[in-house]
Amino acid sequence: MPLQPLQRLHVNDGLLITANHWQIAHSYHQNRQTIHYQSLHQGGIVDGLGISVAEIPEAAPSRYRYPRWLTIQPGLAIDGQGNPIVVSRPENCYLSARPTEETTIYIVLKHSEQTSQAETEIVQDAFQIIEKDVPAEADEVELCRVQLSPGMNALSAPENVFAPGFDQLDLRHRRSVQSQSSLTCHVGLLAHSPMGAAQFESLFESLPGLYPSLQGAMVDSPLEGNLSHVSYDEFCQLDRSTHHQLAQYLQRGCVLLIDAAEDEVLNLYRAELELQQAMAAKPQRGGPSLREKAQEELQRIQACITDEIATLAAPIHTFLDTEGLSDPLGTNRTNGTNALTAEQRVHQGEFSLARAHPFRFSHLPTVQQRPIGLYRWGGVLLLIGPLLQAWGANDDLYLDREEIRSAQELGINLLTFAARHQQLHQWLMPVSHPPHPPSN
């Protein structure tokens, strides 16, 4: 819906109060309330609205005499448009779906208006109880969902409320009213990967507790979100047509995350970190001579890291050059080779956003004693190490709490960077239609 300026009634002496004038006056305040609520809040349940399995009413017609009745308790909810939904007394409803295969059914509330029978000039807010086979929309509030088995089996309360079975009420997805997140990062997978989706979903689950200002969501098409993920091997196998689509994607300010797991680089990272920690230890032993040797060894290790990353980055540079994309970080190119300077290491300050906002890192975290590496060329990020696996979706990794938390915080920094990167680019894009001339 296109944006429209609010209009209110200009009141002066002698104004005739007509039904239309009255409606304009009330619509103005209602629209302001809606804008305010949608800008700052998310819809959900305020209080009550419990739902339970009910007995079959004695007056129910024969076609409804199945053990599929539910009772909704009194309570208050607010939908995504700011409309209050008041259930003042218990309400019964019947789940009528008769699936031939396993199906998830959603019971939702939706705001509506009805004219009071007693006083026709009074319009009373009301609601609808809707049974549907798709999740609740923005103007609806979910009360429960049920995964139905084929047939007309009886509904029941779950034996385990955290793991409902078939034909049992599932209340785990009910949402309470809460503040609106100021930023949303939509993530897509360039190649289908159930594990990759599960890893990002695990990261999204940590957002309410760690950083409520950010929301995350998966998208079906990888080139529709703020961030697209692809493994390094898959990126190297992409054809020219896909490269062209990726270039258009990056030109919109979106971010491509290339995920690489290179043992040789990770071993060099570990050696570098151990040597840096040893050099920083106090008191310093061995005198200046030993320290100079350690410094020389550190420089040798960093030079090896630079060479290894240059080799990894070669396909990325080829892609950027072929598609005519700029390299805003000033990658060092000498003798026709794609070489990286040590300053391009993220933990040495080049990619400061990833280690500073919203969580600050003095150096990037380690996962199972394997330091993480991160590099950036415009909207292309190269991630080295098992960061995604540490977000909570991999039970084979035995990680302590600090490792998981640090990995999640760096993941949140990446989501924030991707969302802000596209947001700032969109603000800079020219409008598709000429602006209105200034009023005199």
Side-chain angles (χ1 to χ4, degrees):
M1 180 181 297
L3 292 174
Q4 297 290 341
L6 295 177
Q7 294 181 341
R8 58 189 175 90
L9 194 63
H10 178 62
V11 180
N12 51 65
D13 292 339
L15 176 67
L16 180 63
I17 300 300
T18 64
N20 182 58
H21 286 163
W22 192 262
Q23 187 65 39
I24 292 174
H26 282 271
S27 296
Y28 170 75
H29 293 285
Q30 185 175 20
N31 291 337
R32 281 179 63 97
Q33 174 187 321
T34 298
I35 292 174
H36 177 271
Y37 189 88
Q38 290 179 327
S39 301
L40 301 180
H41 306 283
Q42 299 180 56
I45 296 172
V46 178
D47 183 54
L49 297 177
I51 187 167
S52 59
V53 177
E55 298 290 337
I56 301 175
E58 295 182 2
S62 58
R63 65 178 182 275
Y64 296 135
R65 299 198 66 82
Y66 293 91
R68 290 197 162 201
W69 285 87
L70 301 172
T71 298
I72 300 171
Q73 302 298 330
L76 171 65
I78 302 178
D79 67 20
Q81 297 178 345
N83 297 308
I85 302 175
V86 180
V87 179
S88 58
R89 62 175 182 271
E91 298 282 348
N92 287 340
C93 67
Y94 178 75
L95 199 155
S96 61
R98 187 178 300 194
T100 58
E101 58 185 7
E102 296 175 4
T103 303
T104 300
I105 296 298
Y106 304 82
I107 305 297
V108 304
L109 286 180
K110 185 172 183 176
H111 175 269
S112 64
E113 292 183 347
Q114 66 180 16
T115 302
S116 172
Q117 297 297 326
E119 300 177 68
T120 56
E121 68 273 13
I122 299 297
V123 178
Q124 177 176 295
D125 282 355
F127 59 87
Q128 297 173 288
I129 303 172
I130 301 176
E131 169 190 332
K132 54 190 302 187
D133 59 2
V134 293
E137 299 178 9
D139 60 346
E140 299 169 337
V141 176
E142 177 179 334
L143 295 180
C144 80
R145 61 182 67 176
V146 185
Q147 189 174 9
L148 295 177
S149 57
M152 291 292 286
N153 298 313
L155 300 181
S156 64
E159 298 175 1
N160 181 354
V161 294
F162 293 108
F166 285 103
D167 305 307
Q168 295 181 344
L169 304 188
D170 185 353
L171 309 185
R172 295 173 298 170
H173 306 278
R174 288 161 56 105
R175 295 178 57 180
S176 300
V177 291
Q178 53 190 300
S179 299
Q180 184 72 267
S181 299
S182 59
L183 203 60
T184 300
C185 184
H186 295 92
V187 178
L189 304 179
L190 201 59
H192 177 68
S193 171
M195 178 54 69
Q199 290 163 348
F200 275 100
E201 291 287 0
S202 294
L203 179 61
F204 298 159
E205 291 174 1
S206 72
L207 293 177
L210 294 180
Y211 194 58
S213 296
L214 177 68
Q215 277 189 314
M218 300 299 296
V219 295
D220 295 332
S221 175
L223 300 182
E224 291 181 356
N226 312 96
L227 176 71
S228 287
H229 172 269
V230 65
S231 72
Y232 180 80
D233 292 337
E234 290 166 340
F235 173 80
C236 293
Q237 297 173 4
L238 296 177
D239 56 27
R240 179 64 187 274
S241 175
T242 306
H243 277 184
H244 185 61
Q245 294 176 8
L246 274 177
Q248 294 177 328
Y249 177 75
L250 293 171
Q251 287 170 346
R252 300 199 304 267
C254 303
V255 173
L256 176 65
L257 177 64
I258 303 173
D259 189 4
E262 296 293 329
D263 291 337
E264 183 64 29
V265 179
L266 294 176
N267 290 335
L268 290 171
Y269 285 162
R270 185 185 298 114
E272 178 192 36
L273 181 62
E274 291 174 353
L275 189 54
Q276 288 175 331
Q277 291 174 340
M279 293 174 63
K282 294 182 179 182
Q284 298 177 0
R285 298 184 177 92
S289 176
L290 184 59
R291 185 168 183 82
E292 288 177 1
K293 292 181 179 180
Q295 186 65 41
E296 292 176 358
E297 178 66 13
L298 179 61
Q299 292 175 353
R300 186 189 68 80
I301 293 174
Q302 290 177 339
C304 291
I305 291 175
T306 297
D307 293 339
E308 290 291 337
I309 298 303
T311 302
L312 280 176
I316 299 175
H317 289 308
T318 300
F319 159 68
L320 294 173
D321 291 341
T322 303
E323 297 298 333
L325 300 176
S326 61
D327 189 359
L329 292 187
T331 302
N332 184 24
R333 312 280 181 91
T334 58
N335 300 325
T337 62
N338 298 326
L340 297 177
T341 63
E343 286 75 19
Q344 287 179 298
R345 294 292 303 277
V346 175
H347 58 271
Q348 291 180 333
E350 186 63 62
F351 189 14
S352 59
L353 283 175
R355 62 184 184 90
H357 183 74
F359 299 103
R360 180 169 292 278
F361 291 87
S362 60
H363 57 82
L364 295 184
T366 60
V367 176
Q368 289 191 323
Q369 299 181 344
R370 289 179 289 179
I372 300 298
L374 190 60
Y375 306 83
R376 174 192 170 204
W377 299 272
V380 179
L381 305 182
L382 175 62
L383 172 66
I384 301 176
L387 180 68
L388 276 67
Q389 292 88 329
W391 289 342
N394 192 338
D395 295 332
D396 296 331
L397 290 180
Y398 296 96
L399 306 175
D400 59 36
R401 178 178 176 276
E402 292 300 324
E403 284 182 298
I404 296 174
R405 178 60 56 84
S406 296
Q408 290 175 337
E409 289 178 349
L410 180 58
I412 292 172
N413 282 15
L414 289 177
L415 296 182
T416 302
F417 168 77
R420 286 286 290 164
H421 191 267
Q422 187 184 25
Q423 185 183 65
L424 294 173
H425 274 76
Q426 286 180 333
W427 288 342
L428 291 170
M429 289 183 180
V431 294
S432 57
H433 53 81
H436 293 292
S439 56
N440 295 328

